[in-house]
Amino acid sequence: MRKKIVAGNWKMNKTHEEGLKLATEIVNMVKDEVRNDAQLVICPSFVSLQGIAKLLDSRVSIGAQNCNSKASGAYTGEVSVEMLKAIDVKYVILGHSERREYFKETNLELAEKVNIVLKNGLIPIFCCGETLKQREKGIHIEFVNSQLTESLFHLSDDEFRKVVIAYEPIWAIGTGVTASTAQAQEMHEKIRKHLISKYGKTAEETSILYGGSCKPDNAKELFACKDVDGGLIGGASLKSRDFVDIIKSF
Ligand code: PGA
């Protein structure tokens, strides 16, 4: 059975106090309202990880939005996986399109980040996705496949088993334009096929999340797609009611 996951990517939003309030609301609502067995993940900024981690329980885990590819050393301003592990962080989002675009993260560097995250026993949520231009040119599938190949295909079967994928078409992130269910299912199926070509049956169990303007009113039909195993939620994860309603969509 593929694990169902809904992860909230808070990006650079919420002060520590605001984050504690939001996380508390989410945990309480989940306790009272959510009957499905989806794993929930909250990914606040680095400064709030430790405080929020203390509020969470087995239903709701904590994730970081990034980490450095090196174990430690003279990398001013950076955060290591060991530091994240020490405060009970379970997941790390890697290769979000905003990090690829604004911080020039490459597939090769992301391969190193994937390695160090796995080595420390954390779970990478590896993001992939194409621009609108690439989709219009008809090279979106090839492009996404190359992101997966270059950052993940060096992993052993056992390592790959722990990876979660998030397909996030860049044209749908924060734009209010969601991929149609047909577009989402098509891409998730192609991604799974590509992963199966390398990892066989193991990839049939890989959770592939959809991200990009996923909201309470479209989550149900997206999550109903055969190869969509949950969501990576940006804007709608900043409101407890919306985030919990998305979780309830399974
Ligand atoms: P969005 O962001 O839900 O605001 O479109 C998704 C993401 O960037 O992970």
Side-chain angles (χ1 to χ4, degrees):
M1 266 289 276
R2 299 204 295 257
K3 209 196 262 175
K4 307 235 176 275
I5 301 170
V6 177
N9 174 11
W10 291 5
K11 308 192 181 184
M12 199 172 71
N13 293 296
K14 303 288 174 194
T15 63
H16 185 56
E17 286 304 314
E18 290 166 350
L20 287 176
K21 183 169 173 281
L22 176 57
T24 306
E25 284 169 13
I26 291 169
V27 169
N28 289 336
M29 282 182 181
V30 166
K31 222 177 270 159
D32 293 343
E33 303 175 26
V34 179
R35 300 282 163 260
N36 62 49
D37 58 359
Q39 178 63 53
L40 314 176
V41 187
I42 293 178
C43 305
S45 76
F46 284 134
V47 296
S48 292
L49 287 172
Q50 188 170 19
I52 290 180
K54 290 188 184 131
L55 302 175
L56 306 185
D57 52 22
S58 59
R59 285 301 311 273
V60 191
S61 311
I62 190 112
Q65 299 172 18
N66 179 34
C67 66
N68 194 269
S69 60
K70 303 287 191 300
S72 63
Y75 302 99
T76 302
E78 290 296 285
V79 173
S80 75
V81 184
E82 200 183 323
M83 294 170 187
L84 299 175
K85 186 180 176 177
I87 54 167
D88 289 330
V89 170
K90 299 273 182 295
Y91 291 80
V92 186
I93 298 173
L94 291 179
H96 190 281
S97 62
E98 286 149 17
R99 297 221 48 95
R100 293 176 188 265
E101 183 183 353
Y102 305 133
F103 304 98
K104 307 295 169 224
E105 292 192 357
T106 63
N107 291 338
L108 208 67
E109 185 185 358
L110 289 167
E112 287 176 12
K113 292 193 181 194
V114 168
N115 289 346
I116 199 153
V117 166
L118 289 172
K119 202 172 135 208
N120 280 279
L122 277 70
I123 302 170
I125 301 178
F126 181 82
C127 302
C128 57
E130 81 285 356
T131 61
L132 186 58
K133 233 187 199 150
Q134 287 162 333
R135 178 165 279 265
E136 283 168 353
K137 272 196 199 154
I139 56 167
H140 50 297
I141 295 165
E142 189 185 322
F143 179 77
V144 168
N145 284 349
S146 71
Q147 290 180 317
L148 298 166
T149 305
E150 289 172 29
S151 298
L152 300 176
F153 277 20
H154 61 286
L155 298 174
S156 69
D157 235 63
D158 263 1
E159 289 167 331
F160 178 75
R161 202 183 299 282
K162 300 180 185 103
V163 176
V164 172
I165 307 286
Y167 167 63
E168 300 205 304
I170 295 169
W171 46 272
I173 295 177
T175 58
V177 180
T178 317
S180 66
T181 49
Q183 285 170 323
Q185 171 52 28
E186 186 202 13
M187 279 308 286
H188 282 234
E189 192 178 329
K190 297 277 191 227
I191 288 169
R192 192 175 307 285
K193 229 180 178 167
H194 187 58
L195 299 173
I196 286 174
S197 74
K198 170 76 179 167
Y199 293 105
K201 279 202 170 324
T202 304
E204 281 170 23
E205 299 300 314
T206 302
S207 298
I208 307 178
L209 317 183
Y210 168 81
S213 301
C214 184
K215 303 208 160 46
D217 61 2
N218 57 31
K220 203 171 187 148
E221 52 177 22
L222 284 162
F223 294 177
C225 296
K226 191 167 125 296
D227 287 292
V228 177
D229 307 304
L232 180 54
I233 319 298
S237 73
L238 297 171
K239 293 188 193 121
S240 51
R241 181 73 272 157
D242 285 0
F243 188 53
V244 174
D245 282 349
I246 289 174
I247 298 158
K248 287 162 74 177
S249 301
F250 277 115

